Amino acid sequence: MSEQDPALLTNAQLAATPASERVRRVEAYLLASIRALHPDTPVDVSCRLADLAIDSLQVVELKFGLDQVLGQELDVELIVSNPTVGELAANSVSAAGL
């Protein structure tokens, strides 16, 4: 499968991704989304969201995008509990039943 811009990940693309690769795809999506919000901030999957200076409006934007990618509305607690980017990806994929 050719890699496209991870920030443009769609629900259909995620559904077509082998289950073993879905968390990685969501991680890439989240990293691209966060980098778009804070282009000068280094970010990787081990970064905690609270350490990235993401404000409440950006949390809502991040959650809305994640809801779209996963095809369902996730509990906001998944984001506000201050997970790492990797934990958020894994927990979101799990919560969505993917």
Side-chain angles (χ1 to χ4, degrees), residues 64-76:
F64 178 76
L66 194 53
D67 290 347
Q68 297 301 305
V69 166
L70 296 170
Q72 62 181 290
E73 188 172 336
L74 297 174
D75 186 342
V76 72

Side-chain angles (χ1 to χ4, degrees), residues 6-92:
L8 301 177
L9 181 63
T10 66
N11 179 258
Q13 290 169 329
L14 185 61
T17 300
S20 63
E21 296 178 25
R22 288 181 183 155
V23 170
R24 183 191 61 76
R25 291 287 306 266
V26 173
E27 285 174 346
Y29 166 79
L30 288 169
L31 289 170
S33 297
I34 293 166
R35 287 179 182 128
L37 296 171
H38 295 281
D40 297 328
T41 301
V43 60
D44 62 44
V45 295
S46 67
C47 293
R48 294 213 169 270
L49 295 182
D51 296 336
L52 298 173
I54 296 174
D55 65 32
S56 59
L57 180 59
Q58 292 169 333
V59 166
V60 171
E61 291 173 9
L62 192 61
K63 182 191 177 303
F64 178 76
L66 194 53
D67 290 347
Q68 297 301 305
V69 166
L70 296 170
Q72 62 181 290
E73 188 172 336
L74 297 174
D75 186 342
V76 72
E77 185 63 27
L78 288 173
I79 295 177
V80 299
S81 64
N82 191 29
T84 64
V85 174
E87 291 167 345
L88 177 57
N91 294 342
S92 297

